[in-house]
């Protein structure tokens, strides 16, 4: 039996669990790690909650900025200058 080694890139930065093959994980540049879909739900809920963790705010802010930049780039590419 051959076992595959699981690298750190396969582990969710938030949950500490293995990220599934079909999971739509997101990368965080600030913490150099992948975050699973479940981890993303945790980050978003925490960042929008009453007493957010500073790490959640950083990650959520990073993703928000990336999403806004991507949306602006998409509009520009479509000719909405």
């Amino acid at each position: 039996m051959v076992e595959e080694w699981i690298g750190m890139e396969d582990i969710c930065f938030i949950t500490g669990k293995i990220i599934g093959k079909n999971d739509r994980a997101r990368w965080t540049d600030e913490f150099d790690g992948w975050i699973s879909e479940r981890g993303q739900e945790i980050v978003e809920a925490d960042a929008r909650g009453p007493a957010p963790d500073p790490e959640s705010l950083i990650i959520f802010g990073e993703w928000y900025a990336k999403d806004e930049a991507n949306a602006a780039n998409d509009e520009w590419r479509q000719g909405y200058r």
Side-chain angles (χ1 to χ4, degrees), residues 16-51:
K17 295 182 179 179
I18 297 169
I19 297 172
K21 187 176 185 177
N22 297 320
D23 198 311
R24 293 177 32 191
R26 262 188 108 158
W27 177 258
T28 171
D29 289 320
E30 189 67 33
F31 297 100
D32 293 330
W34 287 101
I35 300 178
S36 67
E37 289 178 283
R38 176 65 187 129
Q40 292 172 49
E41 292 170 359
I42 293 168
V43 167
E44 185 173 345
D46 186 47
R48 293 176 187 236

